[in-house]
Amino acid sequence: MFKKDGNKKLRYGFTTGSCSAAAAKAAAWMLFSGTEKEEIEIMTPKGLLYTPLIENVRKESRAVSCSVTKDGGDDPDVTNGMPVIAAVSFDPLNPLFTTEHDWENVQFPRENLPKQVFIDGGWGVGRVTKPGLDQPVGNAAINHVPREMITKEVEEVCRLFDYEGRIFVEISLPEGERLAKKTFNPRFGIQGGLSVVGTTGVVEPMSTQALLDTIRVELKQKKTIDGERVIISPGNYGQDFMQRTYGYNLDESVKCSNFIGLTMEMCAELGFKKVLLVGHVGKLIKVAGGIMNTHSREGDCRMEIISACALRAGADADLCREILACISTEEAVRILIEAGICKEAMQIAMDHILPNLERRAGDDLAVDCMMYTNDAGLLAMSEGAESWFTAE
């Protein structure tokens, strides 16, 4: 399947959830039929057929395992090319399972449905250790849509073979523990491996949706743990300044990347009452000009905005031309400092940043902001920003 990007056709991929469901269906089929499958077909929630090859088949008397290779299409991530293994058994204990399971206590609740298919994570699938995620603490990090996909496909095979008893499914990701170190999982409190994820079953190429989903997940977790206040930042740039000045580790903030406007909207949607945006002038100065996605491809008028603020703070034409010739915002700030107008110019910028943030946040979310550089430190902040770190 392909998606157009200009003149180029980009190929869709399939999520770890789709791989897990396909492998589980194939293993169940082989368990019941006694014959091997070379490929299997499932329908993804997006409505696209997925027909992967079935590999690494292993058989026991009452269990079968097999794998599907993750294919991320033209938007591959760290899991691209990784085997996704499903072991399916009639027995809760079986040699093909890679770990012991507390089957009765790890299932995602399924209202008004009989509990026939038991699902858990094995080797390389992370465990949830903090509240606020898709799964409760203690569960394998197999999200609810992949669980529903696995259940649907395995139940279909059970019906085909007139089987009404219980069946046990273990999903393993052999490289999961190593690859998880390259993801947000440790930050979210998912320990020991990767998550099995995907809401549509399909990876859309060159999409920002995965990153936005990650931001939303972390915001939801902060809402569960910390209540009505949240600190967001585009990244960890300036971490030393924040730690040295306020004793605050930027790793504890929610990273919004370039999506400042969308993150403000998410904060409002999730019911936060207060938000503090903390960031380097290189990103935040764009917000003064109403640029709420700060990626360079969306627009770059940093020097123009700084020059306009400098002009309002008393700069002459020569100084503005010097700023316009700057390559970095750090260099422009240095010029403002040398001219003695940095504080005034940056406060003017902040007076434009706040209304743009508030416009995206809506009426029920109070917004504060703090802007700095690594060398010059704090440049400007809203009236209540510092109280986030000094109030008892």
Side-chain angles (χ1 to χ4, degrees):
M1 294 296 175
F2 295 90
K3 174 183 180 180
K4 282 233 176 180
D5 180 24
N7 295 322
K8 183 182 178 183
K9 288 185 176 180
L10 301 174
R11 189 169 57 87
Y12 283 99
F14 293 90
T15 63
T16 48
S18 289
C19 295
S20 298
K25 182 178 185 178
W29 175 276
M30 290 185 281
L31 177 64
F32 284 108
S33 69
T35 60
E36 287 201 13
K37 273 278 189 185
E38 294 184 354
E39 65 178 27
I40 200 77
E41 182 180 279
I42 69 167
M43 180 66 73
T44 63
K46 189 176 178 69
L48 297 178
L49 282 174
Y50 178 37
T51 312
L53 297 177
I54 303 304
E55 303 171 302
N56 301 311
V57 176
R58 295 178 60 199
K59 294 182 180 179
E60 296 283 344
S61 60
R62 292 177 61 81
V64 173
S65 71
C66 63
S67 70
V68 166
T69 299
K70 168 70 184 297
D71 179 4
D74 284 328
D75 191 32
D77 60 13
V78 297
T79 65
N80 195 52
M82 175 187 70
V84 178
I85 300 173
V88 177
S89 176
F90 297 124
D91 303 316
L93 298 175
N94 194 281
L96 292 185
F97 293 151
T98 63
T99 187
E100 294 184 2
H101 304 280
D102 182 7
W103 294 103
E104 296 293 338
N105 296 313
V106 297
Q107 295 301 294
F108 192 87
R110 297 171 64 225
E111 296 180 359
N112 304 319
L113 288 174
K115 199 172 193 180
Q116 180 182 27
V117 180
F118 289 71
I119 304 166
D120 200 13
W123 180 28
V125 175
R127 288 271 156 190
V128 178
T129 66
K130 293 182 180 179
L133 298 175
D134 180 274
Q135 294 293 295
V137 170
N139 261 22
I142 304 173
N143 283 3
H144 73 282
V145 172
R147 286 177 184 267
E148 291 165 2
M149 293 173 68
I150 294 166
T151 299
K152 172 180 174 291
E153 300 300 339
V154 173
E155 285 182 340
E156 179 182 311
V157 176
C158 289
R159 286 193 298 272
L160 188 63
F161 288 90
D162 295 323
Y163 178 76
E164 297 181 354
R166 299 198 301 179
I167 196 161
F168 301 87
V169 179
E170 181 198 70
I171 304 300
S172 297
L173 307 173
E175 300 176 55
E177 188 168 2
R178 176 181 65 85
L179 294 175
K181 297 173 183 177
K182 301 179 181 181
T183 72
F184 286 99
N185 272 18
R187 181 183 179 88
F188 291 161
I190 298 173
Q191 300 297 324
L194 291 166
S195 302
V196 178
V197 297
T199 56
T200 66
V202 171
V203 179
E204 296 197 30
M206 313 308 285
S207 171
T208 62
Q209 191 58 50
L211 181 53
L212 290 172
D213 287 346
T214 298
I215 295 169
R216 183 176 289 275
V217 166
E218 192 164 3
L219 285 171
K220 288 176 69 175
Q221 189 173 42
K222 290 289 187 183
K223 186 71 169 62
T224 300
I225 296 172
D226 298 333
E228 297 182 340
R229 293 159 52 98
V230 65
I231 299 175
I232 66 174
S233 63
N236 280 344
Y237 204 47
Q239 180 158 301
D240 289 345
F241 160 73
M242 290 300 297
Q243 187 70 55
R244 182 176 65 251
T245 308
Y246 296 106
Y248 181 73
N249 185 350
L250 274 176
D251 279 336
E252 298 175 10
S253 66
V254 174
K255 301 302 184 294
C256 64
S257 185
N258 293 301
F259 304 106
I260 292 175
L262 289 173
T263 302
M264 285 290 160
E265 292 177 357
M266 288 184 203
C267 289
E269 290 168 8
L270 292 170
F272 286 100
K273 298 301 181 185
K274 293 183 178 182
V275 60
L276 170 65
L277 172 64
V278 178
H280 188 271
V281 63
K283 292 288 187 185
L284 267 56
I285 197 66
K286 294 184 180 183
V287 180
I291 298 174
M292 306 305 286
N293 180 337
T294 57
H295 195 287
S296 58
R297 68 168 173 255
E298 299 295 329
D300 184 7
C301 53
R302 293 169 299 162
M303 302 312 159
E304 289 82 356
I305 294 171
I306 294 174
S307 296
C309 294
L311 187 65
R312 288 191 58 192
D316 60 19
D318 288 340
L319 188 68
C320 289
R321 278 192 286 267
E322 190 177 355
I323 292 170
L324 288 169
C326 289
I327 300 300
S328 71
T329 51
E330 297 265 2
E331 183 184 3
V333 167
R334 178 186 57 78
I335 292 171
L336 292 175
I337 292 172
E338 291 175 355
I341 58 171
C342 184
K343 182 178 179 180
E344 292 81 2
M346 290 295 99
Q347 192 57 52
I348 290 167
M350 182 60 67
D351 291 342
H352 284 78
I353 290 170
L354 280 171
N356 286 327
L357 295 175
E358 290 166 348
R359 175 170 53 84
R360 297 296 288 268
D363 295 335
D364 297 325
L365 179 61
V367 179
D368 280 307
C369 184
M370 184 177 284
M371 182 169 60
Y372 54 76
T373 71
N374 293 325
D375 294 335
L378 185 66
L379 297 177
M381 61 181 173
S382 62
E383 186 176 347
E386 200 164 36
S387 65
W388 284 70
F389 306 110
T390 59
E392 295 183 359

